[in-house]
């Protein structure tokens, strides 16, 4: 399984960005998909995840109310809409496929490459 993330870039504080991640390869059924991020000098941390039918979503406290995760199962894609961005949101953002719910770093089975989000004036 390959995960290709895109959509990162430079944005001013208060701005918005939308990240996308496309899954390809031998995929029989992807249940849990989500996003993590890693800021310079920090550990990779959970951001948001959702189940296949979108019935369950989970957000990190830092993302709640500002970020929205969604998916398109037909296209095998997951999205992260990020609003009201702050400088502390600056990080490499990774999409991921998990083996169980709730999604945790330890239960990720596939990682995409990171896409860089920089929030700066």
């Amino acid at each position: 399984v390959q995960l290709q993330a895109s959509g990162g870039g430079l944005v001013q504080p208060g701005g918005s960005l939308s990240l996308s991640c496309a899954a390809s390869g031998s995929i029989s059924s992807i249940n849990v998909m989500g996003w993590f991020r890693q800021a310079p000098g920090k550990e990779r941390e959970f951001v948001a995840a959702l189940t296949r039918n979108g019935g369950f979503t989970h957000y990190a406290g830092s993302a709640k109310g500002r970020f929205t995760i969604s998916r398109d199962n037909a296209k095998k894609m997951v999205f992260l809409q990020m609003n009201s961005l702050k400088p502390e949101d600056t990080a490499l953002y990774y999409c991921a496929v998990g083996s169980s719910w709730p999604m945790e770093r330890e239960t990720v089975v596939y990682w995409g490459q990171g896409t860089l989000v920089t929030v700066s004036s």
Side-chain angles (χ1 to χ4, degrees):
V1 174
Q2 294 80 44
L3 300 173
Q4 182 70 41
S6 61
L10 173 64
V11 63
Q12 291 188 342
S16 299
L17 274 179
S18 182
L19 305 183
S20 300
C21 177
S24 61
S26 299
I27 302 170
S28 58
S29 177
I30 294 178
N31 186 13
V32 180
M33 296 188 75
W35 293 89
F36 288 73
R37 68 185 183 185
Q38 187 166 17
K42 295 188 177 181
E43 291 189 353
R44 193 170 299 187
E45 64 177 8
F46 170 79
V47 177
L50 81 171
T51 53
R52 179 174 179 81
N53 61 6
F56 292 96
T57 57
H58 181 212
Y59 294 91
S62 58
K64 203 170 294 184
R66 299 188 299 126
F67 295 2
T68 302
I69 189 170
S70 60
R71 64 191 287 173
D72 184 331
N73 290 326
K75 296 181 179 179
K76 300 185 184 74
M77 296 188 70
V78 63
F79 309 95
L80 186 68
Q81 176 65 40
M82 304 185 294
N83 300 325
S84 302
L85 284 162
K86 306 174 182 179
E88 51 264 42
D89 294 317
T90 295
L92 272 169
Y93 283 71
Y94 298 88
C95 61
V97 170
S99 61
S100 63
W101 186 262
M103 191 174 208
E104 299 175 339
R105 191 172 59 181
E106 293 74 19
T107 60
V108 170
V109 292
Y110 298 108
W111 291 102
Q113 93 293 355
T115 185
L116 181 62
V117 172
T118 303
V119 184
S120 175
S121 56

